Amino acid sequence: MRHVGGARRGLDMWLLQRASAIYMAAFLAVFLVLFLAAGPMDFMAWRGLFVPTAMKVGSLLFVAALLAHAWIGLREIFIDYVHFLVLRLGLYLAFGTLYLGCLVWTVDILWSVK
Amino acid sequence: MTSRINRQRPFFLNLMAIRLPIGGIVSILHRASGAGLSLAVPVLLFLFSRSVRSPYYYDRVTGIFSHGLGWLIGLGLLWALLHHFLAGLRHLGFDFGLGESTEKARQTAWLAFGLAIALVSLVALASLMGGGA
């Protein structure tokens, strides 16, 4: 069966999986420092973390990286275990739609923190 | 392509009899933890949206993870995140040609496996001492 998409697709995915992993690791390290520096955690301190625009943008990029990473990872799993092509493409689309929805939702969540 | 693959290749999948080396165990757990985390993302996003809404919802969300089944699920997710993170760092190392010898690869596999469990145990212990669960 011919693959759907170009021959370079696998390499693009491989690269994006690494790039998103590196961004997430870096963001989590910064976030952990800010989280610990915020002192004893309560609602105001937790919410306060997400007030600066830089934090909103950084968090949104983190979620975008996370969703891309999760989708590519699930794609690997589907390629290994779901051999019925229509079902596999259906799963790609279902998770792609779910995750795109999550990304838009994240914008709403983050920018509602004022 | 397809015709060159040996269709008569040996097929052995007795899960009770397979003895996976540590690298194989860390690898399958990397996949399993990744799958679990991927499915948890929408739920975690929902909980996050609640947690920044009001003090009431913040307490509700932190309350879910403070005792009983929620406490266990929280620790499970934390383990999945730590294992996936550490096993992922190991893979990034391989990409840059670090620790590729059999001996080093086994050592880092044990390290990722053990460190994830040790850190989760620490968090579990700390939450128990702090009056959680």
Side-chain angles (χ1 to χ4, degrees), chain A residues 14 18 22 25 41-43 46-47 50 66-67 69-70 74 77 80-81 95 98-99 102 105-106 109 113, chain B residues 2 28 31 34-35 38-39 41-42 45-46 48-49 51-55 58 81 84-85 89 91-92 95-96:
Chain A
W14 183 90
R18 269 81 188 157
I22 289 168
M41 243 332 122
D42 58 10
F43 172 71
W46 174 246
R47 199 176 151 284
F50 299 95
L66 176 67
L67 293 169
H69 195 89
L74 287 176
I77 293 175
D80 279 353
Y81 305 128
F95 276 96
L98 175 69
Y99 284 170
C102 282
W105 185 21
T106 305
I109 296 169
V113 179
Chain B
T2 318
I28 193 65
R31 170 165 284 201
S38 296
L39 298 178
V41 165
L45 207 51
F46 172 75
F48 173 68
S49 75
S51 75
V52 293
R53 184 173 295 176
S54 72
Y58 176 86
L81 180 66
H84 200 83
F85 186 91
L89 279 185
H91 276 283
L92 282 173
D95 289 340
F96 291 102

Side-chain angles (χ1 to χ4, degrees), chain B residues 89-109:
Chain B
L89 279 185
R90 181 169 169 266
H91 276 283
L92 282 173
F94 292 155
D95 289 340
F96 291 102
L98 297 170
E100 284 182 316
S101 72
T102 309
E103 199 190 344
K104 270 270 177 289
R106 286 220 175 106
Q107 286 170 357
T108 53

Side-chain angles (χ1 to χ4, degrees), chain A residues 32-108:
Chain A
L32 192 63
V33 170
L34 293 173
F35 180 85
L36 294 175
M41 243 332 122
D42 58 10
F43 172 71
M44 285 312 285
W46 174 246
R47 199 176 151 284
L49 282 174
F50 299 95
V51 169
T53 304
M55 188 58 165
K56 290 190 208 296
V57 173
S59 303
L60 181 60
L61 286 178
F62 172 80
V63 173
L66 176 67
L67 293 169
H69 195 89
W71 191 85
I72 295 170
L74 287 176
R75 176 180 175 271
E76 299 281 322
I77 293 175
F78 297 150
I79 285 172
D80 279 353
Y81 305 128
V82 184
H83 295 247
F84 180 47
L85 194 63
V86 175
L87 179 60
R88 194 199 290 170
L89 291 177
L91 284 166
Y92 290 175
L93 271 177
F95 276 96
T97 309
L98 175 69
Y99 284 170
L100 264 180
C102 282
L103 187 63
V104 177
W105 185 21
T106 305
V107 176
D108 179 59

Side-chain angles (χ1 to χ4, degrees), chain B residues 21-88:
Chain B
I22 185 63
I25 292 171
V26 167
S27 176
I28 193 65
L29 289 177
H30 189 227
R31 170 165 284 201
S33 57
L37 289 168
S38 296
L39 298 178
V41 165
V43 180
L44 293 176
L45 207 51
F46 172 75
L47 293 176
F48 173 68
S49 75
R50 286 294 174 103
S51 75
V52 293
R53 184 173 295 176
S54 72
Y56 170 75
Y57 282 119
Y58 176 86
D59 289 342
R60 286 279 300 266
V61 172
T62 51
I64 289 170
F65 293 111
S66 68
H67 61 273
L69 189 62
W71 180 74
L72 267 179
I73 292 173
L75 287 177
L77 283 171
L78 183 65
W79 170 81
L81 180 66
L82 286 168
H83 182 89
H84 200 83
F85 186 91
L86 294 167

